[in-house]
Amino acid sequence: MAIKTIIEPFKIKMVEPITMSTELERIDFLKKAHHNTFLLDSDQVIIDFLTDSGTSAMSASQWAGIIDGDESYAGSRSWKRMEKTVRELTGMNYVLPTHQGRAAERIIYSLLGGKGKTFISNTHFDTTRANIEFSGSNAIDIPIEEGKHPKLIHPFKGNMDVKKLEELILKYGSENIGAVILTITNNSGGGQPVSMQNAREVGEICHKYGVLYLQDMCRIAENSYFVKQREKAYENISYKAIAQEMMSFADGAVMSAKKDALVNMGGFLSLKDEKLANECKNLLIITEGFTTYGGLSGRDMEAIAIGLEEVFDADYLHYRIRSTAYLGNKLSEMGIPLMLPIGGHAVYIDAKEMYPHIPVDQYPGQTLAAELYLVGGIRSVEIGSVMFGKYDENKKLIPAEMELVRLAIPRRVYTQSHIEYVIEVFAEVQKRVKNSKGFKITYEPEFLRHFTAHFEPLK
Ligand SMILES: *Cc1c(COP(=O)(O)O)cnc(C)c1O
């Protein structure tokens, strides 16, 4: 068929104005923000690709649910609806509502963790690793080899290396493994999907050795899209049924509802085991709230329940994944070096390759982030040596493995013309590559420096 444009499968009922600006104004804004995109005000930004977390546009049904939310302290109707939806999706009987993903992580990992314990994942997301390490445990990442090479094409680069998994369980002893965590999709690994076969095999190994198997299901719907497209046996299975089958292998799941539940705040923990669930509920009550609301308002729970249904809509998922790929493929055709294949929620640009004349200790990723902002008001985030770099004893930079810039796409927020605009901005940024300069850091805090560091452009 000649008609190939994938249109947004929604109409716009309510609009949020974008504050437009000129390049001259942005030069000033960026200078005042010390050349750090995190320090910009949101109304100084035209297209905000900082994160896909909590930035989704809710639907008319979700907003209606917000009004309809039951704010009762105990036994809220909205809680019942959320609990039923999560139970049906995960097949797990015990559901604990939390204010966001990391609250669920803190509860479960502080219980399972502690000194001497080891956790194994395809790749631990930052908050996952932080909660595990904070408990005194050790976190080991074992993505498959293909997942470590940005240019290599593989259908499921988010998979866990199951051979290594078994070796590690034998090496540390099953009694010392806190849990095995499969992150679906693999966020830190570029939003790359995990196959059904891999999710099943991880379960078989965990259960052979009696190790707890958890899934981080933040982007389970986006992952289901890739399974249906790329795993032959699932081409005729619905997205929701794929997600249900994948989760059936696990003993528990954590979710940040700020991703695939299409809401701005929320999360949960779900478990099969009653005893473990009861221990978690004790912690939930101490730090989050009573078991029928956790850290959430009734209206939040109503919106999560609705979002978890909407996200499996075939037209939505098709639009979501294909529009991310559309941006990635266009940039790739223009010769912008990318991490391939394009993942579900973001496009990652290889800034080291794009700016070969800028050494890593002058932060080429920061250059691209600044250029995108100056030329088009696009906010992105550096994921390279600003974020992960360390210093040796001579204060010399130990660079990150890659110098990436991430364009994370909020769900249902931008239209095709916004994306076309972004592509044109890239063409302009590309023309300026030779004259673009690196940066030096003039101020940095001790931890998580990327959030608040100050930069100065080099001459
Ligand atoms: C966002 C995220 C989390 C943490 O969730 P928050 O809601 O931000 O606390 C955990 N795991 C993954 C894979 C995520 O993407």
Side-chain angles (χ1 to χ4, degrees):
M1 202 164 80
I3 301 165
K4 55 184 202 315
T5 301
I6 296 159
I7 62 167
E8 291 80 14
F10 48 80
K11 297 184 287 182
I12 297 167
K13 189 184 227 99
M14 198 188 287
V15 297
E16 184 176 357
I18 292 174
T19 312
M20 303 302 280
S21 53
T22 63
E23 179 161 2
L24 219 58
E25 288 170 325
R26 290 192 293 270
I27 289 173
D28 182 50
F29 294 154
L30 193 61
K31 205 167 158 201
K32 289 196 173 118
H34 305 282
H35 304 274
N36 183 343
T37 51
F38 277 103
L39 299 179
L40 289 165
D41 292 343
S42 65
D43 60 6
Q44 296 170 337
V45 172
I46 294 177
I47 304 283
D48 206 342
F49 285 162
L50 191 64
T51 177
D52 67 319
S53 178
T55 52
S56 301
M58 291 205 294
S59 66
S61 318
Q62 285 177 297
W63 281 109
I66 292 273
I67 302 291
D68 202 32
D70 176 0
E71 302 300 341
S72 304
Y73 193 97
S76 152
R77 184 180 67 241
S78 300
W79 158 244
K80 288 282 160 199
R81 183 171 182 186
M82 174 176 160
E83 184 187 40
K84 182 166 173 279
T85 308
V86 176
R87 273 184 180 159
E88 196 203 316
L89 183 58
T90 61
M92 300 170 196
N93 198 32
Y94 303 97
V95 185
L96 286 71
T98 59
H99 79 277
Q100 62 183 92
R102 69 196 68 182
E105 294 182 324
R106 186 185 47 77
I107 289 171
I108 185 82
Y109 300 133
S110 65
L111 267 176
L112 299 173
K115 275 213 167 43
K117 289 279 160 70
T118 293
F119 289 75
I120 305 166
S121 177
N122 44 352
T123 310
H124 293 84
F125 180 66
D126 355 2
T127 59
T128 317
R129 174 176 287 277
N131 273 292
I132 288 168
E133 290 178 351
F134 188 72
S135 82
S137 299
N138 179 22
I140 302 176
D141 293 337
I142 47 164
I144 55 168
E145 188 55 37
E146 290 87 342
K148 298 182 205 166
H149 302 276
K151 294 269 160 335
L152 209 142
I153 302 287
H154 181 279
F156 292 104
K157 280 172 98 171
N159 282 355
M160 185 184 287
D161 186 334
V162 286
K163 191 164 157 277
K164 269 203 193 129
L165 173 63
E166 192 156 11
E167 286 166 10
L168 285 174
I169 293 175
L170 290 170
K171 178 178 164 195
Y172 288 96
S174 55
E175 68 284 5
N176 297 316
I177 305 293
V180 170
I181 306 156
L182 194 61
T183 313
I184 305 167
T185 57
N186 194 8
N187 185 357
S188 308
Q192 297 292 332
V194 174
S195 71
M196 188 71 83
Q197 187 188 342
N198 192 249
R200 187 186 303 116
E201 285 174 5
V202 169
E204 284 163 2
I205 292 169
C206 287
H207 296 140
K208 178 172 158 192
Y209 294 100
V211 169
L212 194 78
Y213 175 22
L214 301 176
Q215 291 179 354
D216 179 329
M217 55 179 282
C218 285
R219 296 179 183 79
I220 187 79
E222 292 176 1
N223 197 82
S224 296
Y225 183 88
F226 290 109
V227 169
K228 190 174 166 93
Q229 304 301 318
R230 298 179 185 174
E231 229 169 331
K232 195 88 190 97
Y234 292 90
E235 63 184 353
N236 295 318
I237 313 287
S238 77
Y239 294 119
K240 190 168 170 185
I242 290 171
Q244 286 168 320
E245 179 174 339
M246 190 165 271
M247 277 180 284
S248 72
F249 308 131
D251 304 307
V254 290
M255 182 167 192
S256 167
K258 300 169 76 172
K259 322 291 168 47
D260 268 356
L262 300 171
V263 296
N264 306 117
M265 192 53 73
F268 57 84
L269 167 65
S270 73
L271 291 163
K272 281 182 179 160
D273 182 65
E274 184 179 4
K275 187 168 163 286
L276 182 58
N278 284 338
E279 289 174 44
C280 289
K281 278 181 188 171
N282 286 333
L283 287 182
L284 181 78
I285 292 172
I286 294 169
T287 58
E288 286 280 300
F290 184 57
T291 54
T292 66
Y293 70 88
L296 296 170
S297 301
R299 52 182 174 273
D300 295 333
M301 297 190 286
E302 195 76 30
I304 290 171
I306 298 166
L308 280 177
E309 299 282 349
E310 285 181 355
V311 76
F312 288 104
D313 178 76
D315 294 328
Y316 162 74
L317 276 178
H318 189 59
Y319 142 79
R320 168 72 178 158
I321 305 298
R322 292 298 303 277
S323 59
T324 306
Y326 177 83
L327 172 60
N329 290 334
K330 287 277 173 181
L331 296 182
S332 193
E333 284 165 22
M334 286 160 56
I336 306 279
L338 300 181
M339 205 157 154
L340 296 173
I342 311 298
H345 69 289
V347 173
Y348 292 74
I349 298 127
D350 185 342
K352 193 160 32 179
E353 194 177 327
M354 188 159 171
Y355 295 98
H357 60 289
I358 302 180
V360 291
D361 62 0
Q362 296 178 12
Y363 307 110
Q366 201 63 25
T367 301
L368 177 57
E371 285 285 286
L372 287 170
Y373 178 70
L374 291 175
V375 173
I378 299 167
R379 174 151 66 176
S380 56
V381 60
E382 192 263 17
I383 302 193
S385 291
V386 174
M387 196 179 267
F388 296 124
K390 297 198 173 87
Y391 294 109
D392 66 13
E393 57 273 18
N394 301 320
K395 275 293 268 177
K396 198 172 163 335
L397 180 80
I398 307 169
E401 224 164 282
M402 293 187 267
E403 303 296 331
L404 301 175
V405 169
R406 184 181 77 177
L407 310 174
I409 320 290
R411 295 171 182 77
R412 303 193 291 206
V413 171
Y414 294 114
T415 64
Q416 169 126 14
S417 72
H418 290 120
I419 299 298
E420 299 293 354
Y421 168 84
V422 172
I423 294 163
E424 287 176 22
V425 170
F426 263 94
E428 209 47 46
V429 166
Q430 210 174 15
K431 283 188 206 153
R432 304 176 12 162
V433 158
K434 278 211 182 68
N435 297 321
S436 298
K437 304 276 193 298
F439 282 88
K440 71 170 183 205
I441 295 179
T442 54
Y443 159 78
E444 59 184 298
E446 199 178 338
F447 294 106
L448 298 172
R449 65 174 178 173
H450 55 286
F451 288 122
T452 53
H454 295 176
F455 299 88
E456 234 171 58
L458 291 162
K459 292 280 168 313

